[in-house]
């Protein structure tokens, strides 16, 4: 099986298409992740998924109770990645012009001029997004889906790279506008941010109570665009692609996949965006691990964060406190993945051994 990686980077550290270049990419991404973890204690899964979303050009929704470092993680991540960053604190009195911009009359010009809003940056932190009213949510939909904003009949594209990282607190009930299914579907990943463990809580106390550490820039916008192109070129075997399709189909017709008990649990299955999201996220995760091909384990690692927020459970399932993540874990356990068969034959000179490449059965 050959790699689908093509093209050359403008960055000296990423030139070439050899296994060594893949390892350099993995080291660079690992350094970026470690810089974020200088500030954030624990939460390794959340930090890795932030990088997955960036490489896959997808938006991310972080959900967790207040005080578990969601905002701090995004701020540190934006510092490490580079580019322009803006934080918008969503409140019930926001209007769309507060975030996307508006037309302002200028007497000196005897006409209107467009004043762009704070969303025209590389990284938008939409803090407590579920506190924004419906009009603001509709403005965010165009921004997230089309990566552009229409003001006064003119379209203004967002800069590249562009990513929205939103946070929401699941325990709030006053003054909250729950995200509609259409907008949840716009997020590539929804990451649950849990409480830290006991040893991590002690490390938070030790690290943050005296002189809090800070992260250093590692990437820049041009390098991020190159890494995104490399992620798009990661090879996906046909059998791995079929495995992704089966996972999504199992959410729509679970009885055909030997899970008839889920028929009454799942009201609406995953949309085709889940299929595309699984491919994009799996490619990004493979690149982070220094590979130019996707393994079934990559798909399994991102399945919960890509699929769970796209499921709509039935009333009885909600009453029984069934979690969509549990449904996805059941589907991943029941749908058989293809089996990789490794080929480690030497080609050419004995000093130039090809990296192991899997075929699938």
């Amino acid at each position: 099986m050959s790699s689908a990686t093509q093209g050359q980077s403008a960055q000296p550290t990423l030139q070439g298409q050899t296994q060594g270049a893949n390892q350099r990419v993995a080291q660079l991404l690992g350094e970026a992740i470690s810089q974020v973890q200088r500030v954030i204690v624990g939460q390794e899964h959340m930090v890795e998924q932030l990088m997955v979303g960036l490489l896959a050009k997808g938006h991310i929704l972080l959900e967790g109770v207040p005080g578990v470092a969601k905002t701090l993680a995004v701020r540190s991540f934006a510092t490490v990645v580079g580019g322009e960053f803006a934080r918008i604190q969503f409140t019930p009195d926001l209007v769309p012009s507060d975030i996307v911009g508006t037309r302002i009359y200028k007497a000196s010009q005897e006409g209107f001029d467009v004043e762009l809003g704070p969303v025209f940056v590389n990284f938008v932190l939409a803090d407590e997004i579920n506190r924004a009213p419906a009009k603001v949510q509709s403005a965010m939909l165009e921004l997230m889906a089309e990566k552009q904003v229409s003001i006064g009949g003119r379209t203004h594209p967002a800069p590249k790279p562009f990513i929205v990282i939103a946070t929401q607190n699941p325990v709030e009930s006053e003054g909250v506008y729950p995200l509609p299914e259409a907008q949840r579907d716009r997020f590539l990943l929804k990451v649950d941010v849990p409480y830290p463990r006991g040893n991590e809580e002690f490390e938070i106390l030790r690290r943050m109570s005296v002189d809090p550490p800070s992260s250093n820039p590692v990437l820049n916008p041009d390098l991020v665009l190159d890494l995104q192109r490399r992620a798009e070129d990661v090879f996906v075997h046909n059998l791995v692609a079929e495995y992704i399709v089966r996972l999504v189909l199992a959410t729509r017709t679970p009885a055909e996949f030997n899970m008839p008990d889920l028929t009454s649990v799942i009201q609406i299955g995953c949309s085709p965006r889940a299929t595309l999201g699984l491919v994009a996220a799996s490619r990004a995760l493979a690149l982070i691990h220094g590979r130019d091909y996707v393994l079934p384990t990559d798909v399994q690692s991102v399945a919960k964060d890509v699929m769970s927020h796209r499921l709509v459970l039935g009333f009885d399932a909600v009453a029984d406190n069934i979690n969509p993540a549990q449904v996805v874990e059941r589907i991943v356990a029941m749908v058989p993945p293809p089996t990789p068969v490794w080929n480690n034959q030497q080609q050419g000179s004995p000093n130039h051994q090809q990296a192991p490449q899997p075929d699938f059965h």
Side-chain angles (χ1 to χ4, degrees), residues 257-281:
F257 294 86
N258 300 320
M259 292 176 287
D261 56 308
L262 293 184
T263 302
S264 60
V265 172
I266 302 175
Q267 182 178 352
I268 300 177
C270 292
S271 70
R273 281 199 188 98
T275 307
L276 299 175
L278 283 172
V279 173

Side-chain angles (χ1 to χ4, degrees), residues 78-352:
T79 300
V80 171
V81 173
E84 298 181 350
F85 169 76
R87 174 190 175 186
I88 305 174
Q89 184 68 48
F90 280 54
T91 57
D93 60 346
L94 275 182
V95 295
S97 60
D98 291 334
I99 63 172
V100 300
T102 186
R103 299 174 69 197
I104 298 177
Y105 181 78
K106 291 191 174 181
S108 60
Q109 300 178 358
E110 295 185 352
F112 288 89
D113 194 10
V114 174
E115 186 73 20
L116 298 179
V119 296
F120 286 88
V121 292
N122 298 113
F123 298 93
V124 177
L125 170 57
D127 221 351
E128 294 182 314
I129 190 173
N130 55 332
R131 297 184 64 194
K135 285 186 177 181
V136 177
Q137 301 291 3
S138 64
M140 289 293 294
L141 275 177
E142 180 187 13
L143 176 67
M144 294 168 59
E146 309 297 337
K147 297 185 179 179
Q148 65 183 26
V149 170
S150 299
I151 304 175
R154 294 182 55 189
T155 299
H156 303 271
K160 295 181 180 180
F162 177 77
I163 181 174
V164 174
I165 304 177
T167 68
Q168 67 176 7
N169 299 326
V171 296
E172 288 185 334
S173 59
E174 296 293 333
V176 171
Y177 301 82
L179 296 183
E181 286 78 5
Q183 185 165 353
R184 288 208 309 265
D185 201 28
R186 295 302 200 278
F187 287 99
L188 171 67
L189 303 167
K190 177 180 175 291
V191 183
D192 293 324
V193 186
Y195 281 119
R197 295 183 288 269
N199 61 325
E200 294 171 347
E201 194 87 23
F202 185 83
E203 178 63 19
I204 291 172
L205 176 63
R206 187 195 66 81
R207 186 183 301 184
M208 307 300 291
S209 60
V210 181
D211 186 15
S214 60
S215 53
N216 299 317
V218 176
L219 307 178
N220 58 67
D222 291 336
L223 186 54
V224 169
L225 291 175
D226 179 69
L227 291 170
Q228 289 177 343
R229 287 190 293 267
R230 285 179 172 267
E232 290 177 343
D233 289 338
V234 171
F235 181 81
V236 180
H237 195 278
N238 283 338
L239 291 180
V240 177
E242 291 176 3
Y243 174 57
I244 291 174
V245 172
R246 291 200 307 272
L247 288 175
V248 175
L249 292 180
T251 66
R252 304 174 191 170
T253 56
E256 297 181 5
F257 294 86
N258 300 320
M259 292 176 287
D261 56 308
L262 293 184
T263 302
S264 60
V265 172
I266 302 175
Q267 182 178 352
I268 300 177
C270 292
S271 70
R273 281 199 188 98
T275 307
L276 299 175
L278 283 172
V279 173
S282 300
R283 282 173 160 162
L285 188 60
L287 186 66
I288 291 174
H289 292 163
R291 286 184 275 105
D292 56 7
Y293 52 86
V294 171
L295 292 175
T297 52
D298 297 324
V299 181
Q300 295 166 352
S301 297
V302 301
K304 184 178 71 172
D305 294 332
V306 172
M307 298 172 64
S308 61
H309 63 287
R310 293 180 162 92
L311 290 177
V312 178
L313 303 186
F315 177 80
D316 292 339
V318 175
D320 293 337
N321 292 323
I322 296 179
N323 193 322
Q326 298 172 336
V327 177
V328 174
E329 290 174 356
R330 170 82 186 285
I331 291 173
V332 171
M334 291 295 293
V335 177
T339 303
V341 178
W342 295 93
N343 177 17
N344 196 17
Q345 296 179 352
Q346 290 185 351
Q347 295 183 358
S349 171
N351 296 328
H352 295 82

